[in-house]
Amino acid sequence: MIMKILLMGGVGNRLFQISYGLSASQQKSIVLITLPRYIEKFASLFGWAYHQEWINIKDLCLKLNLNNRTANLIEIFIIFAMFFLRKISSKFSKEIDIESLSTERYLFDFAIGYFQKPYYHKKEELKKIIGELSKIYRNDHSKYSCIHIRGGDLAIDDRLKDDFIKNIDYKNNLKIVTNDVVYAKNLLSDVDAKIFSNKDPADDFKVICNSKLLYISNSTYSFWASCIVFQNGGRVIFAEDFYLKDFFKFLDYDA
């Protein structure tokens, strides 16, 4: 049987799902399934998060030799049925770690999850994705420091704390990248630094990825940029409560 993995959420989440698929492909035949965009827009009316796809996912999957296609009508029905079952019972929300895929199966052979723990991935496959992203976004040889400030839809409790903000060196040729200019200006009202917001996540991502010193927010967007900075010999500073920090040790980064 072919194991199907749903790509959902923002690009940061989908990259984890792609990594899970790439890792799983060493044991199983897999295909990455994407809902039609019009279905995602319709589902957003009922709480489904709808995000701009600012990376060419199909091109990335092609480079990784992964099969990626749009869900057919039967698969769309199964996906929505599984989301309904997940609301009824947590047993339908299980994500199977890589080492257990040889003995465990998903319902309908359909994996739906976020896979944001190291044990859902193989290190070498995760690094392949980081390498491909680095080829696309790491091309500026100027040296600068950068902070990514995530506001907007990020929950208040997950945003950068005051003690983290106060320990940043704002005199070190710092670039500030944010998806929420008003929030960033209020947060850094006493700081004389240029705020970047191109209103294009891909352009902002490139600015972050090319920094030599990066301060990151508590988001998957920051995580993937930080991996690119680490892989290219840069330094990354993150808060103690950064929820993806276990990946840095897993990837052998000097964090």
Side-chain angles (χ1 to χ4, degrees):
M1 293 289 292
I2 296 176
M3 189 175 86
K4 300 171 184 177
I5 301 171
L6 178 64
L7 299 186
M8 63 178 181
V11 168
N13 290 325
R14 294 185 187 217
L15 290 173
F16 278 109
Q17 292 150 6
I18 290 170
S19 176
Y20 183 66
L22 188 60
S23 300
S25 69
Q26 308 305 306
Q27 305 177 52
K28 292 178 172 284
S29 295
I30 69 106
V31 59
L32 304 175
I33 300 293
T34 307
L35 282 172
R37 296 301 276 177
Y38 71 89
I39 292 289
E40 290 188 350
K41 287 183 178 180
F42 174 76
S44 67
L45 300 175
F46 303 94
W48 180 288
Y50 179 77
H51 299 272
Q52 177 184 351
E53 190 174 287
W54 49 269
I55 285 179
N56 190 326
I57 294 293
K58 286 189 177 297
D59 185 57
L60 178 61
C61 290
L62 186 63
K63 291 176 180 177
L64 296 168
N65 295 315
L66 289 174
N67 185 12
N68 171 222
R69 61 172 175 79
T70 303
N72 59 40
L73 189 60
I74 293 175
E75 290 165 341
I76 291 171
F77 176 79
I78 291 173
I79 289 167
F80 280 97
M82 289 182 69
F83 271 100
F84 176 74
L85 290 173
R86 286 156 67 103
K87 290 183 178 297
I88 295 176
S89 173
S90 60
K91 72 178 182 179
F92 297 110
S93 300
K94 184 178 180 181
E95 299 173 0
I96 302 174
D97 66 80
I98 286 298
E99 299 305 321
S100 300
L101 278 177
S102 59
T103 56
E104 297 185 50
R105 286 179 58 181
Y106 285 99
L107 181 65
F108 305 122
D109 285 305
F110 225 123
I112 297 178
Y114 290 104
F115 312 108
Q116 292 180 7
K117 293 292 183 182
Y119 45 76
Y120 295 120
H121 307 269
K122 288 189 176 294
K123 183 192 305 182
E124 59 272 21
E125 309 308 328
L126 188 54
K127 285 194 170 185
K128 283 182 185 177
I129 295 175
I130 296 166
E132 291 298 333
L133 294 174
S134 185
K135 292 176 186 176
I136 301 170
Y137 295 104
R138 180 83 181 193
N139 54 15
D140 185 350
H141 299 292
S142 61
K143 295 182 178 180
Y144 58 86
S145 300
C146 181
I147 175 175
H148 174 230
I149 298 177
R150 174 79 178 270
D153 58 344
L154 190 66
I156 298 297
D157 290 343
D158 291 331
R159 298 185 182 189
L160 293 176
K161 307 298 187 293
D162 288 342
D163 57 344
F164 184 83
I165 294 294
K166 290 175 182 177
N167 288 323
I168 293 173
D169 181 4
Y170 294 98
K171 298 179 181 179
N172 192 19
N173 192 20
L174 182 76
K175 293 185 178 182
I176 302 170
V177 177
T178 183
N179 68 327
D180 190 336
V181 174
V182 174
Y183 168 68
K185 285 183 176 179
N186 289 333
L187 186 66
L188 306 175
S189 57
D190 298 328
V191 177
D192 183 19
K194 184 177 181 180
I195 295 179
F196 282 77
S197 181
N198 297 303
K199 297 183 179 179
D200 184 333
D203 288 344
D204 287 346
F205 191 69
K206 183 175 289 188
V207 173
I208 300 171
C209 290
N210 282 284
S211 60
K212 65 171 184 176
L213 171 62
L214 174 61
Y215 300 87
I216 59 175
S217 285
N218 204 15
S219 73
T220 57
Y221 186 86
S222 268
F223 168 78
W224 290 102
S226 68
C227 288
I228 293 171
V229 171
F230 267 130
Q231 183 160 299
N232 287 275
R235 184 182 172 206
V236 176
I237 297 177
F238 50 93
E240 182 61 32
D241 63 349
F242 182 55
Y243 75 113
L244 296 169
K245 64 183 179 181
D246 289 349
F247 275 97
F248 297 146
K249 183 177 180 181
F250 177 70
L251 290 164
D252 301 319
Y253 293 146
D254 185 18

